[in-house]
Amino acid sequence: GQSLEQPSEVTAVEGAIVQINCTYQTSGFYGLSWYQQHDGGAPTFLSYNALDGLEETGRFSSFLSRSDSYGYLLLQELQMKDSASYFCARRAGNMLTFGGGTRLMVKP
Amino acid sequence: ETGVTQTPRHLVMGMTNKKSLKCEQHLGHNAMYWYKQSAKKPLELMFVYSLEERVENNSVPSRFSPECPNSSHLFLHLHTLQPEDSALYLCASSQTGEYGYTFGSGTRLTVV
């Protein structure tokens, strides 16, 4: 199958750290991507993991465990502008299949 | 113009109308995609054009018809749509060997 599971909603306060988890089905799996989408906006690419481990890009990090079919997006030093939906996406060949998205609300 | 441009941004059409959505990418990418985004649902891949080869999701109804005249332009032709087809239609492009897709801002379609 192609499905990905992630929580529908997460709330955190400004300055905190939040982790958004994603589990996926392994058939034909190449790697896991993360995208951010603000309301009314286009999804924008954040990160990609093909191998196990942690990839860090500024305040955002992404982790993959292929043996556990699991990954997460870690957002540190949360800012109000980080309020958005975050999607994990499973890559198989040149195609991406997306999870349902996690709506992150950052409160003051 | 940079990135991926979609027109129109908003479209309201009746069930008997025929319309087309347009997507243009200015990134030199060699693959383009149509996705459908409905409320409370994952982004659904509709069509892929990669190196001029078309791949489609077999669950997409025939009332949606894609056209890719060259690597920079992608169209989605719509006819006799249903109200449940109301959604945000997103175009994206990518380059073989690179990991990220670049999305357009989408066309918000309402079928009445």
Side-chain angles (χ1 to χ4, degrees):
Chain A
Q2 305 284 321
S3 67
L4 298 95
E5 298 291 331
Q6 54 182 127
S8 58
E9 202 169 285
V10 171
T11 301
V13 297
E14 214 172 358
I17 299 173
V18 72
Q19 179 174 312
I20 299 174
N21 299 322
C22 175
T23 57
Y24 60 86
Q25 297 198 354
T26 58
S27 174
F29 178 80
Y30 280 29
L32 195 69
S33 299
W34 288 93
Y35 286 76
Q36 177 193 61
Q37 186 179 27
H38 287 98
D39 285 348
T44 56
F45 173 73
L46 293 177
S47 67
Y48 177 73
N49 295 69
L51 303 175
D52 286 0
L54 192 68
E55 296 280 343
E56 297 182 68
T57 309
R59 294 187 296 113
F60 293 3
S61 303
S62 58
F63 172 82
L64 179 66
S65 169
R66 295 177 71 106
S67 60
D68 296 322
S69 302
Y70 162 76
Y72 65 72
L73 181 69
L74 190 74
L75 298 87
Q76 303 183 72
E77 301 172 20
L78 280 175
Q79 301 175 8
M80 297 298 291
K81 67 178 182 179
D82 298 328
S83 293
S85 292
Y86 293 85
F87 296 87
C88 58
R90 177 183 169 281
R91 181 187 174 101
N94 204 27
M95 288 191 274
L96 283 183
T97 303
F98 285 81
T102 298
R103 189 168 186 85
L104 171 64
M105 289 182 285
V106 180
K107 297 187 173 181
Chain B
E1 289 276 7
T2 58
V4 179
T5 304
Q6 289 187 242
T7 53
R9 290 295 307 273
H10 300 273
L11 177 63
V12 179
M13 60 186 288
M15 289 190 283
T16 58
N17 291 159
K18 291 184 181 181
K19 296 285 185 183
S20 296
L21 310 185
K22 179 182 177 182
C23 177
E24 185 173 0
Q25 60 99 358
H26 309 271
L27 301 166
H29 287 169
N30 62 4
M32 296 186 77
Y33 312 83
W34 281 116
Y35 278 86
K36 177 183 178 182
Q37 188 174 31
S38 304
K40 311 288 186 185
K41 288 187 177 180
L43 276 81
E44 176 189 349
L45 178 64
M46 301 177 72
F47 301 102
V48 180
Y49 278 86
S50 176
L51 297 174
E52 300 178 1
E53 177 188 8
R54 175 176 137 185
V55 177
E56 62 187 85
N57 181 339
N58 291 329
S59 69
V60 176
S62 59
R63 55 186 183 268
F64 294 91
S65 174
E67 178 189 1
C68 189
N70 55 59
S71 60
S72 299
H73 294 86
L74 185 65
F75 296 89
L76 187 62
H77 303 300
L78 318 171
H79 64 96
T80 59
L81 294 192
Q82 303 298 310
E84 61 264 29
D85 298 322
S86 298
L88 181 68
Y89 289 84
L90 289 161
C91 173
S93 70
S94 71
Q95 179 66 24
T96 303
E98 296 178 359
Y99 303 130
Y101 282 17
T102 302
F103 281 86
S105 297
T107 295
R108 173 69 63 185
L109 173 67
T110 304
V111 181
V112 297

